[in-house]
Amino acid sequence: MRVGVLGATGYTALELLKILVRHPDVEVTGLTTRQEHTPHVSEVHPSLTGRLDLKCEDLRTAELAERAELVFCAVPHGAAMAAVPELLEAGCKVIDLSADYRLSDPAVYESWYGLVHTDPTRLGTTVYGLPELFADDIPGKDLIANPGCYTSTSILGLAPLLAEGLIEPTGIIIDAKSGVSGAGRTPKMTTLYPECNESISAYAVGRHRHTPEIEQVLSKVSGKSVEVLFTPHLVPMDRGILATMYATPTEQRSDDDLLEAMRNYYRGKPFVRVVDRLPATKDVSGTNFCDVTVRQCRGKVLVLSVTDNLIKGASGVAVQNLNLLAGFDETAGLL
Amino acid sequence: MRVGVLGATGYTALELLKILVRHPDVEVTGLTTRQEHTPHVSEVHPSLTGRLDLKCEDLRTAELAERAELVFCAVPHGAAMAAVPELLEAGCKVIDLSADYRLSDPAVYESWYGLVHTDPTRLGTTVYGLPELFADDIPGKDLIANPGCYTSTSILGLAPLLAEGLIEPTGIIIDAKSGVSGAGRTPKMTTLYPECNESISAYAVGRHRHTPEIEQVLSKVSGKSVEVLFTPHLVPMDRGILATMYATPTEQRSDDDLLEAMRNYYRGKPFVRVVDRLPATKDVSGTNFCDVTVRQCRGKVLVLSVTDNLIKGASGVAVQNLNLLAGFDETAGLL
Amino acid sequence: MRVGVLGATGYTALELLKILVRHPDVEVTGLTTRQEHTPHVSEVHPSLTGRLDLKCEDLRTAELAERAELVFCAVPHGAAMAAVPELLEAGCKVIDLSADYRLSDPAVYESWYGLVHTDPTRLGTTVYGLPELFADDIPGKDLIANPGCYTSTSILGLAPLLAEGLIEPTGIIIDAKSGVSGAGRTPKMTTLYPECNESISAYAVGRHRHTPEIEQVLSKVSGKSVEVLFTPHLVPMDRGILATMYATPTEQRSDDDLLEAMRNYYRGKPFVRVVDRLPATKDVSGTNFCDVTVRQCRGKVLVLSVTDNLIKGASGVAVQNLNLLAGFDETAGLL
Amino acid sequence: MRVGVLGATGYTALELLKILVRHPDVEVTGLTTRQEHTPHVSEVHPSLTGRLDLKCEDLRTAELAERAELVFCAVPHGAAMAAVPELLEAGCKVIDLSADYRLSDPAVYESWYGLVHTDPTRLGTTVYGLPELFADDIPGKDLIANPGCYTSTSILGLAPLLAEGLIEPTGIIIDAKSGVSGAGRTPKMTTLYPECNESISAYAVGRHRHTPEIEQVLSKVSGKSVEVLFTPHLVPMDRGILATMYATPTEQRSDDDLLEAMRNYYRGKPFVRVVDRLPATKDVSGTNFCDVTVRQCRGKVLVLSVTDNLIKGASGVAVQNLNLLAGFDETAGLL
């Protein structure tokens, strides 16, 4: 399958390309950038030297659509919804890594992103591409909304317990910690090395845009209105997310019961590992795995979940979605 | 004042010595180690080269007591309670940086530390050396129990709100993140650079020994039985603690009310800075400051508190205790 | 092919196993440790959870030899030469990642390693497994001495220029910088996180054991007696080696001539990338690539070479050697 | 003494202010920025909260000159030479932390900095503020050119040996490694956390602007024309410079002779520590010390020198210059 990447210069694009060049069923045939001098991909991503011989071009959408059967959209929100309709109309399939098609309600999108959605009819009908929950909806679809990194990490920890009614849907606290690559590759003072290194802090308290996404998906899973307090933190490391989550149990259960519920929920799912140990982000670094565990403490259910924010949190799950959409092996290119 | 350090080879001892060599009213006159070859302090701590000309000696307690009017006890718990009574009997004043004299109930000590306390009569009567709360009790005392690092950071965030009855005493969640120096200088696989770097994880969930200490002090502050769920995490940085804390408000108040309560509580306290911003550990790195803030989110009160775990969390507050105990200016050597 | 790993608990073993579980022609059938409780490999290496279902056992050499056709020997020097003869006699092929079979002269080994070599007859006849230089000698061999990490990185930068007579064989300076994983997983104070982080220093000046190895191989390449001044440094990062090398040109040449000589030398070699840019260790992190470049400055030839010390510097090249030895595709499992 | 800082928002300004607020003889009375909203210094530098109550203002030079007797000029090169003449004419003393007054020859400045020098008559007459070499020239001066960070670190290692004729003035190699703060606080992709972290690389090979500065000063010290090959590297740490330097001995001497020459040279200099050990940047982090050592290896003299690039490499030495200029104790505010 010929695939293209719209917006090939960021960190998620790099990880995506690293996976795609090893994927047995895929050929990368088009890369775009807004940089006018059409840099070779190895100039933008030195680590791809000798592994992918392609230029990043300032292509119009139609040009990209000619080159590729499927396009990974790795441009920021706002830019994605400007390009996706054209790509779809040109006959491309699209996996959108931005937030533009994740929320089902245009009003919610507008209130959190401060933008009027320009393609509102596709909201609500687009599949949310978290395969561990919605794998059956993915095959054959034209457009997949790839989940956010904090979102996947949080949801994969909480979904089994909410689905089984083992925790209350409200009063959930998600204390999440992320490496700096999640903030993107655009120069900002806040993500300069000497600002982030040797420091940890919370940010965007009460207003991080992954909040409504987490609530929307978990509400769907539980059949109840889920409400979370989501506190993201920036941690001095390149990659990885740890979500430490606190919920109220609905009934008295042993830790083993809760772990068993998790294991049952993820039976046959190749990329979620339910573990007994306290997971570290390093355990999943560079992989498409999500490691989760659960235990109880002082009357609360404590759920821990780790991913590599660029892989399972972005580009790995995008390829997993590609695999399911196109009928390839779910793990192709990912193990 | 002639001061000695019992156990001079660890990270807290190093920070203590850096402060003491700059302190106007103090002379360091004795350093101990169990290493038999009596290394010069600059061999153990190269950064002290030329700043302190003293050997670390395998001194008996009595010998150290002859050299010093006051001893900072920087040996592990267990070892501290073996040495402190002798030091006191020899006429030394003691500031104990271990956990041995922090808890007031020997049974609680025994259950969390797995040791029978060998000096139980001093528990309950020893001053807990957190000057922002107990400054009046410190002057003239012979023995001060210096607080734990997570403990101080957490307590300084929560105490004003509990003292004023603005948050419930139960259901408090403390999600704390610490740099690696908190784990000490004894070689362990878990704190090797390649294990910690580029990774974050929780540890000691439900069984970290600072839990009873936090609860004891906050119960005293609030007059009610405080219960906390304390989750420590290891973060890839040398130093710094961030405590992200979640509590239930007792009544409807504005964020400004809560901040104002904090500001009132810490009026005249030179080392707590109540800030509007979300504090980062870097803001207090290398200093004796604790930066705290509070805001509300989704029905919870969110308190953030940062310290340098080796300074305000250990050696800085130890010197602050010395200053108060001896009648020096509270900030001597610390600004 | 059934393969085993002697000494499966260190960092090189972990990287080796990550590669082997993805290798199409190989099955891992035996892992050893000196730990008596036979931990599952996922207990020792959490990142392998679900990817390899095997215990690490305290096997005798003969037992391991029954399970595997080829054994990667990942134990320290000294221990390797105790096990290798037995493995070979039992019919196993061996790729030894230790230093025990790299040097051709037992006296040189003894003087640098402080040990009498107990298998001296195999020195001098064992192939030095640096495939870019000695690929033709590897197929069908029973024992391969896998190169050191600093060694490969340095040699791959200098070999083309020495082979072509473009630099003088003496007066070469190798200023090398390594991540901390190169120091191994055994707890030591010097590699604790708070010791290494936020610091760089030289170590083992004039006495690092990779010195004679570099000189031996480069002397073979150049046909002259090569002498290097090798200065290793410890850098606060998990992995990666950069060798910055300074040599004296033998004749006046343009930078392009030198680059062209490098390109010719490595034509058809899949894992050396001759680049124009100044290479960064991040460009090769997690890969089996070595990126090299050359330029002239103030009368000196400056060669820069980077590898991932655990992959191209250890486990990746070990698999590359396996591939050549066994007749697999040279890149199998490595791209 | 009332002092001001021209350009108060960068990393060197922050370190300067941290020192100045503790300095017994100085009051900070003016801070400038080009930001129009006149942020409070604690907004720009949160760590200064409560330690300095001053706004950063968009002051004209004359306004700053009214507020301060001495101005630290912490703006980039080019901007400095535009402001310094005015400050001097207004009666201010100036310590310029930029490169604008370091080189004595305007043509050399122009060729390395790509700018015509607009105040050329002051070049050549301005004191180079490296107190260990030129302390006698500093008292009472109006303008001091504060040295570059790589420059000081390199010169302090080599000067004693060149002054004594113990090494050749040509063929010197300086392989220098710096933390990222040296690249400044202006957002750039190359200094984003995920670009620098877990990576080391050389940069600006053969064209780093500290080269002519090092050569100019060392030529003055040795009385001969010194030529160096200077290779800077970016290391994943906030701060610290290590210079590993290779020179040719002029005669046969023992390592002890060389160390003794260093010790003699720096006798009575409070901020250079000649050490036997291999120095680490961590040993001097946060201090105004420079640790140096020397040993011989394979026919070369190897000199190692470490500083904190922001303190001894910039703001610490600036205050040391202030102290000498104004007749304060040389160490005031710096120990």
Side-chain angles (χ1 to χ4, degrees):
Chain A
M1 180 183 271
R2 288 173 297 116
V3 304
V5 180
L6 187 79
T9 58
Y11 294 132
T12 51
L14 170 58
E15 292 307 312
L16 184 59
L17 292 171
K18 282 187 188 170
I19 297 169
L20 293 175
V21 297
R22 291 170 40 194
H23 195 292
D25 307 310
V26 153
E27 186 190 5
V28 182
T29 53
L31 304 176
T32 81
T33 176
R34 281 165 304 182
Q35 295 174 32
E36 290 182 10
H37 72 294
T38 64
H40 193 276
V41 68
S42 66
E43 195 182 319
V44 174
H45 301 300
S47 61
L48 292 176
T49 303
R51 300 160 83 181
L52 180 62
D53 188 11
L54 216 54
K55 288 195 167 191
C56 300
E57 299 172 74
D58 191 4
L59 297 178
R60 282 173 299 117
T61 308
E63 293 172 305
L64 182 59
E66 272 172 40
R67 298 223 193 138
E69 298 162 71
L70 182 143
V71 168
F72 292 95
C73 191
V75 295
H77 70 267
M81 66 185 171
V84 166
E86 279 189 73
L87 288 165
L88 291 171
E89 281 148 35
C92 270
K93 290 175 181 292
V94 176
I95 294 173
D96 177 25
L97 286 86
S98 89
D100 280 350
Y101 293 91
R102 293 179 194 157
L103 296 171
S104 52
D105 182 343
V108 174
Y109 180 87
E110 193 171 334
S111 78
W112 284 85
Y113 287 87
L115 289 176
V116 175
H117 205 288
T118 57
D119 188 21
T121 59
R122 283 202 177 83
L123 297 200
T125 61
T126 301
V127 180
Y128 189 82
L130 189 56
E132 285 73 17
L133 274 64
F134 308 114
D136 294 346
D137 301 336
I138 296 168
K141 285 292 188 307
D142 288 334
L143 171 62
I144 308 284
N146 210 57
C149 51
Y150 280 124
T151 324
S152 296
T153 314
S154 303
I155 291 171
L156 290 174
L158 295 170
L161 304 175
L162 282 166
E164 299 300 316
L166 295 165
I167 54 173
E168 297 289 351
T170 57
I172 296 171
I173 290 169
I174 302 176
D175 192 282
K177 298 92 174 165
S178 174
V180 184
S181 60
R185 206 181 186 190
T186 305
K188 278 175 288 198
M189 200 189 77
T190 49
T191 51
L192 288 182
Y193 188 92
E195 300 290 320
C196 303
N197 190 42
E198 279 293 295
S199 197
I200 180 169
S201 63
Y203 69 98
V205 168
R207 53 187 183 76
H208 194 283
R209 290 156 166 174
H210 288 178
T211 308
E213 195 181 325
I214 295 170
E215 292 181 337
Q216 170 183 296
V217 177
L218 289 178
S219 296
K220 191 168 172 186
V221 165
S222 71
K224 292 176 185 164
S225 180
V226 170
E227 197 177 277
V228 304
L229 194 177
F230 175 63
T231 314
H233 297 77
L234 201 61
V235 179
M237 57 189 194
D238 276 1
R239 52 209 293 174
I241 287 178
L242 165 64
T244 310
M245 299 178 277
Y246 304 88
T248 308
T250 51
E251 48 185 306
Q252 203 157 344
R253 291 295 191 105
S254 71
D255 286 6
D256 281 347
D257 284 352
L258 301 180
L259 271 169
E260 192 56 23
M262 277 192 165
R263 290 212 170 85
N264 287 335
Y265 194 83
Y266 291 120
R267 190 140 295 144
K269 305 293 180 188
F271 293 116
V272 178
R273 304 188 296 197
V274 180
V275 299
D276 293 314
R277 66 174 177 271
L278 297 172
T281 58
K282 187 161 241 170
D283 302 343
V284 297
S285 185
T287 81
N288 198 48
F289 291 108
C290 175
D291 285 3
V292 293
T293 197
V294 59
R295 57 190 63 191
Q296 290 169 100
C297 187
R298 302 247 160 170
K300 286 284 179 188
V301 172
L302 180 63
V303 181
L304 293 151
S305 176
V306 295
T307 62
D308 182 320
N309 60 306
L310 293 176
I311 311 281
K312 185 60 179 168
S315 300
V317 75
V319 174
Q320 195 180 348
N321 281 323
L322 162 72
N323 290 340
L324 291 169
L325 182 153
F328 305 145
D329 185 283
E330 185 175 354
T331 66
L334 292 170
L335 286 181
Chain B
M1 181 185 270
R2 289 173 296 115
V3 305
V5 179
L6 187 78
T9 59
Y11 294 131
T12 51
L14 170 58
E15 293 305 313
L16 184 59
L17 292 170
K18 282 186 188 170
I19 297 168
L20 293 174
V21 296
R22 290 169 41 194
H23 195 291
D25 308 309
V26 153
E27 185 190 6
V28 182
T29 53
L31 303 176
T32 81
T33 177
R34 280 165 305 182
Q35 295 173 33
E36 290 182 10
H37 72 294
T38 65
H40 193 276
V41 69
S42 66
E43 193 182 322
V44 174
H45 301 301
S47 61
L48 292 177
T49 304
R51 299 159 83 182
L52 181 61
D53 188 13
L54 216 54
K55 291 196 165 188
C56 301
E57 299 172 74
D58 191 6
L59 296 178
R60 282 172 298 116
T61 308
E63 293 172 304
L64 181 60
E66 271 172 42
R67 299 224 195 139
E69 297 161 72
L70 181 143
V71 168
F72 292 95
C73 191
V75 294
H77 70 266
M81 66 185 172
V84 166
E86 279 189 74
L87 288 165
L88 292 170
E89 281 149 34
C92 270
K93 290 174 181 292
V94 176
I95 295 174
D96 177 25
L97 285 86
S98 89
D100 279 352
Y101 292 91
R102 294 178 194 158
L103 296 170
S104 52
D105 182 342
V108 174
Y109 180 87
E110 192 171 335
S111 78
W112 284 86
Y113 288 86
L115 289 176
V116 175
H117 204 290
T118 56
D119 190 19
T121 58
R122 285 201 176 84
L123 298 199
T125 61
T126 302
V127 180
Y128 188 82
L130 189 55
E132 284 75 16
L133 274 63
F134 308 115
D136 294 347
D137 302 336
I138 295 168
K141 286 293 188 306
D142 288 334
L143 172 63
I144 309 283
N146 211 57
C149 51
Y150 282 125
T151 323
S152 296
T153 314
S154 303
I155 291 171
L156 290 173
L158 296 169
L161 304 175
L162 282 165
E164 298 300 316
L166 295 166
I167 55 173
E168 298 289 352
T170 57
I172 296 171
I173 290 168
I174 302 175
D175 192 282
K177 298 91 174 166
S178 174
V180 185
S181 59
R185 206 181 187 189
T186 305
K188 279 175 288 200
M189 201 189 75
T190 50
T191 50
L192 289 182
Y193 188 92
E195 301 289 320
C196 303
N197 190 42
E198 278 292 294
S199 199
I200 180 169
S201 62
Y203 68 98
V205 169
R207 54 189 182 74
H208 194 283
R209 289 158 168 173
H210 287 177
T211 308
E213 196 181 326
I214 295 169
E215 292 181 337
Q216 170 183 296
V217 177
L218 288 179
S219 296
K220 189 167 175 187
V221 165
S222 72
K224 292 176 184 165
S225 182
V226 170
E227 196 176 277
V228 303
L229 193 177
F230 175 64
T231 314
H233 297 76
L234 201 60
V235 179
M237 57 188 193
D238 275 1
R239 51 210 290 174
I241 287 179
L242 165 64
T244 310
M245 299 178 277
Y246 304 90
T248 308
T250 51
E251 49 186 305
Q252 203 157 345
R253 291 296 191 103
S254 71
D255 286 7
D256 281 347
D257 284 353
L258 301 181
L259 271 169
E260 193 55 26
M262 276 193 165
R263 289 211 170 86
N264 286 335
Y265 194 82
Y266 290 121
R267 190 140 294 145
K269 305 296 179 186
F271 293 117
V272 178
R273 303 188 297 197
V274 181
V275 298
D276 293 314
R277 68 174 177 271
L278 296 172
T281 58
K282 188 160 241 170
D283 301 342
V284 297
S285 185
T287 80
N288 198 47
F289 291 108
C290 175
D291 284 4
V292 293
T293 198
V294 60
R295 55 189 65 189
Q296 291 169 98
C297 188
R298 303 248 159 166
K300 287 283 179 187
V301 172
L302 181 62
V303 181
L304 293 151
S305 176
V306 294
T307 62
D308 182 319
N309 61 304
L310 294 176
I311 311 283
K312 186 59 179 166
S315 301
V317 75
V319 173
Q320 195 179 349
N321 282 322
L322 162 72
N323 290 340
L324 291 169
L325 182 154
F328 305 143
D329 184 284
E330 184 175 354
T331 66
L334 292 169
L335 285 182
Chain C
M1 180 183 269
R2 290 174 296 114
V3 304
V5 179
L6 187 79
T9 59
Y11 294 132
T12 51
L14 170 58
E15 294 305 313
L16 184 60
L17 292 170
K18 282 187 188 171
I19 298 169
L20 292 175
V21 296
R22 291 170 41 195
H23 195 291
D25 307 310
V26 153
E27 187 191 4
V28 182
T29 53
L31 302 176
T32 81
T33 176
R34 279 165 304 182
Q35 296 174 34
E36 289 182 12
H37 72 296
T38 64
H40 192 276
V41 69
S42 66
E43 193 182 322
V44 175
H45 300 301
S47 62
L48 292 177
T49 303
R51 300 159 84 181
L52 180 62
D53 188 13
L54 215 54
K55 289 196 166 190
C56 300
E57 299 172 74
D58 191 5
L59 297 177
R60 281 171 300 116
T61 308
E63 293 172 305
L64 182 61
E66 272 170 42
R67 300 223 194 140
E69 297 161 71
L70 181 142
V71 168
F72 291 95
C73 191
V75 294
H77 71 266
M81 67 184 171
V84 166
E86 279 188 74
L87 287 165
L88 292 171
E89 281 148 34
C92 271
K93 288 174 182 292
V94 176
I95 295 175
D96 178 26
L97 285 86
S98 89
D100 280 350
Y101 293 91
R102 294 177 193 157
L103 297 170
S104 52
D105 182 342
V108 174
Y109 180 87
E110 192 171 336
S111 78
W112 284 85
Y113 288 86
L115 289 176
V116 175
H117 206 289
T118 56
D119 189 21
T121 58
R122 285 202 176 82
L123 298 199
T125 62
T126 302
V127 179
Y128 188 82
L130 190 55
E132 284 74 16
L133 274 64
F134 308 116
D136 294 346
D137 302 336
I138 296 169
K141 285 292 189 306
D142 289 334
L143 172 62
I144 309 284
N146 210 57
C149 52
Y150 281 124
T151 324
S152 295
T153 315
S154 303
I155 291 171
L156 290 173
L158 296 169
L161 305 174
L162 282 165
E164 299 300 317
L166 295 166
I167 56 172
E168 298 288 351
T170 57
I172 296 171
I173 290 168
I174 301 176
D175 191 282
K177 298 90 174 166
S178 174
V180 184
S181 59
R185 207 181 185 189
T186 305
K188 278 175 287 200
M189 201 189 75
T190 48
T191 50
L192 289 181
Y193 187 92
E195 301 289 320
C196 303
N197 190 42
E198 278 293 295
S199 198
I200 180 169
S201 63
Y203 68 97
V205 169
R207 54 188 181 76
H208 194 284
R209 289 158 167 174
H210 288 178
T211 308
E213 196 181 326
I214 295 169
E215 293 180 339
Q216 170 184 296
V217 177
L218 289 178
S219 295
K220 191 168 172 186
V221 165
S222 72
K224 291 174 185 166
S225 181
V226 170
E227 196 176 277
V228 303
L229 194 177
F230 175 64
T231 314
H233 297 76
L234 201 61
V235 179
M237 57 188 193
D238 276 1
R239 50 210 291 172
I241 288 178
L242 165 63
T244 310
M245 299 179 276
Y246 304 89
T248 308
T250 51
E251 49 185 306
Q252 204 157 343
R253 292 296 191 105
S254 71
D255 286 7
D256 281 347
D257 285 353
L258 300 181
L259 271 169
E260 193 55 27
M262 276 193 166
R263 290 211 170 86
N264 287 334
Y265 194 83
Y266 290 121
R267 190 140 294 145
K269 305 294 181 189
F271 293 115
V272 178
R273 304 187 298 196
V274 180
V275 298
D276 292 315
R277 66 174 177 271
L278 296 172
T281 58
K282 189 160 238 169
D283 302 343
V284 297
S285 185
T287 80
N288 198 48
F289 291 108
C290 175
D291 285 4
V292 294
T293 197
V294 59
R295 56 191 64 192
Q296 291 169 98
C297 187
R298 303 249 158 167
K300 286 285 179 186
V301 172
L302 180 63
V303 181
L304 293 151
S305 176
V306 295
T307 62
D308 183 320
N309 60 305
L310 294 176
I311 312 281
K312 185 60 180 168
S315 300
V317 74
V319 174
Q320 196 180 349
N321 281 322
L322 162 72
N323 289 341
L324 292 168
L325 181 154
F328 305 145
D329 184 283
E330 184 174 355
T331 66
L334 293 169
L335 285 181
Chain D
M1 180 183 270
R2 289 174 297 115
V3 304
V5 179
L6 188 79
T9 59
Y11 294 131
T12 50
L14 170 59
E15 293 306 313
L16 184 60
L17 292 170
K18 281 187 189 169
I19 297 169
L20 293 174
V21 297
R22 292 171 39 196
H23 194 292
D25 308 309
V26 154
E27 186 189 5
V28 182
T29 53
L31 303 176
T32 82
T33 176
R34 281 164 304 181
Q35 297 175 31
E36 289 182 11
H37 72 294
T38 64
H40 192 276
V41 69
S42 65
E43 193 182 320
V44 175
H45 300 300
S47 61
L48 292 176
T49 303
R51 300 159 83 181
L52 180 62
D53 188 12
L54 216 53
K55 289 194 167 191
C56 301
E57 299 172 73
D58 190 5
L59 296 177
R60 282 173 299 117
T61 309
E63 293 172 305
L64 181 61
E66 272 171 41
R67 298 223 195 138
E69 298 161 72
L70 181 143
V71 168
F72 291 95
C73 192
V75 294
H77 70 266
M81 66 186 171
V84 166
E86 280 189 72
L87 288 166
L88 292 170
E89 281 148 36
C92 270
K93 291 176 180 290
V94 177
I95 295 173
D96 178 24
L97 285 86
S98 89
D100 280 351
Y101 293 91
R102 294 178 194 157
L103 296 171
S104 52
D105 182 342
V108 173
Y109 179 87
E110 192 172 335
S111 76
W112 283 86
Y113 287 87
L115 289 176
V116 175
H117 205 290
T118 56
D119 189 20
T121 59
R122 283 203 178 83
L123 298 199
T125 62
T126 302
V127 179
Y128 189 82
L130 189 55
E132 285 74 16
L133 274 63
F134 308 114
D136 294 347
D137 302 336
I138 296 170
K141 284 293 187 307
D142 289 334
L143 172 62
I144 309 284
N146 211 56
C149 52
Y150 282 124
T151 324
S152 295
T153 314
S154 303
I155 291 171
L156 290 173
L158 295 170
L161 304 174
L162 283 165
E164 298 301 316
L166 294 166
I167 55 173
E168 298 288 350
T170 58
I172 296 171
I173 290 169
I174 302 176
D175 192 282
K177 297 92 174 166
S178 174
V180 184
S181 60
R185 206 181 185 190
T186 305
K188 278 175 287 198
M189 200 189 77
T190 49
T191 51
L192 288 181
Y193 188 92
E195 301 289 320
C196 303
N197 190 43
E198 279 293 295
S199 198
I200 181 169
S201 62
Y203 68 98
V205 169
R207 53 189 183 77
H208 195 283
R209 288 156 168 174
H210 288 178
T211 308
E213 196 181 325
I214 296 170
E215 292 180 340
Q216 170 184 295
V217 177
L218 289 179
S219 295
K220 190 168 173 185
V221 165
S222 71
K224 293 175 183 164
S225 181
V226 170
E227 195 177 279
V228 303
L229 193 177
F230 174 63
T231 313
H233 298 76
L234 201 60
V235 178
M237 57 188 195
D238 275 2
R239 52 211 291 174
I241 288 179
L242 165 64
T244 311
M245 299 179 276
Y246 305 88
T248 308
T250 51
E251 50 185 305
Q252 202 157 344
R253 290 297 190 105
S254 71
D255 286 7
D256 281 347
D257 284 354
L258 300 181
L259 271 168
E260 193 56 24
M262 277 194 165
R263 290 211 170 86
N264 287 335
Y265 194 82
Y266 289 122
R267 190 140 295 146
K269 306 293 180 187
F271 293 116
V272 178
R273 305 188 295 199
V274 180
V275 298
D276 293 314
R277 66 174 178 273
L278 296 172
T281 58
K282 189 159 239 170
D283 302 343
V284 297
S285 186
T287 80
N288 198 47
F289 290 108
C290 175
D291 284 4
V292 294
T293 197
V294 60
R295 55 191 64 189
Q296 290 168 101
C297 187
R298 302 249 160 169
K300 287 284 179 187
V301 172
L302 180 62
V303 180
L304 293 150
S305 176
V306 294
T307 62
D308 183 318
N309 60 306
L310 294 176
I311 311 282
K312 185 60 179 168
S315 300
V317 74
V319 174
Q320 195 180 350
N321 282 321
L322 162 72
N323 290 340
L324 292 168
L325 181 153
F328 305 144
D329 184 283
E330 185 175 355
T331 66
L334 293 169
L335 285 182

